[in-house]
């Protein structure tokens, strides 16, 4: 797990740069303003959490199960949140919106929130 987290963070960061450039140039012509804004939100959240995963990967020992849960929440939450937004935007622009992805986005967001809550807990657990 210790080497996997910074790798996944770097992969998410790499993809966020690619998707961001793709959205800014290629998708600008086929997306509505609302779709482009949603797509950019997915890219931003993906990049924020990519950076976080790299930092955690180099600072956590992953000997504590809580550290593993935090990483799992951020990895799965980022994937579900950002990639469901991408799927919704691309499919809507083609006129065939994949509605089943709609509920996936908040599940990803919930996992991200849980990850942040657990991270906050690790920061204060010594004082409680």
């Amino acid at each position: 797990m210790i080497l996997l987290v910074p790798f996944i963070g770097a992969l998410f960061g790499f993809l966020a740069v690619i998707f961001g450039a793709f959205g800014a140039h290629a998708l600008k012509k086929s997306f509505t303003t609302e779709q482009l804004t949603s797509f950019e939100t997915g890219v931003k959240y993906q990049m924020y959490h990519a950076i976080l995963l790299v930092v955690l990967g180099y600072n956590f020992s992953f000997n504590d199960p809580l550290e593993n849960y935090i990483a799992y929440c951020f990895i799965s939450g980022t994937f579900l949140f950002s990639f469901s937004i991408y799927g919704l935007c691309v499919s809507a622009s083609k006129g065939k919106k994949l509605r089943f992805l709609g509920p996936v986005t908040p599940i990803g967001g919930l996992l991200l929130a849980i990850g942040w809550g657990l991270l906050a807990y690790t920061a204060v657990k010594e004082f409680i």
Side-chain angles (χ1 to χ4, degrees), residues 29-46:
K29 298 170 187 153
S30 62
F31 274 22
T32 65
T33 304
E34 183 180 315
Q35 290 167 340
L36 197 56
T37 300
S38 292
F39 193 88
E40 289 171 354
T41 298
V43 171
K44 282 187 231 176
Y45 274 66
Q46 184 176 335

Side-chain angles (χ1 to χ4, degrees), residues 63-74:
N63 293 327
D64 181 355
L66 184 58
E67 292 177 353
N68 290 315
Y69 296 142
I70 292 168
Y72 292 139
C73 283
F74 285 134

Side-chain angles (χ1 to χ4, degrees), residues 117 120-128:
Y121 174 74
T122 63
V124 299
K125 72 180 179 180
E126 296 176 23
F127 302 110
I128 297 176

Side-chain angles (χ1 to χ4, degrees), residues 68-91:
N68 290 315
Y69 296 142
I70 292 168
Y72 292 139
C73 283
F74 285 134
I75 291 167
S76 57
T78 300
F79 182 80
L80 293 174
F81 182 83
S82 292
F83 286 80
S84 66
I85 289 175
Y86 304 149
L88 285 166
C89 292
V90 170
S91 64

Side-chain angles (χ1 to χ4, degrees), residues 110-123:
L110 178 61
L111 287 168
L112 293 174
I114 291 169
W116 282 105
L118 292 174
L119 185 59
Y121 174 74
T122 63

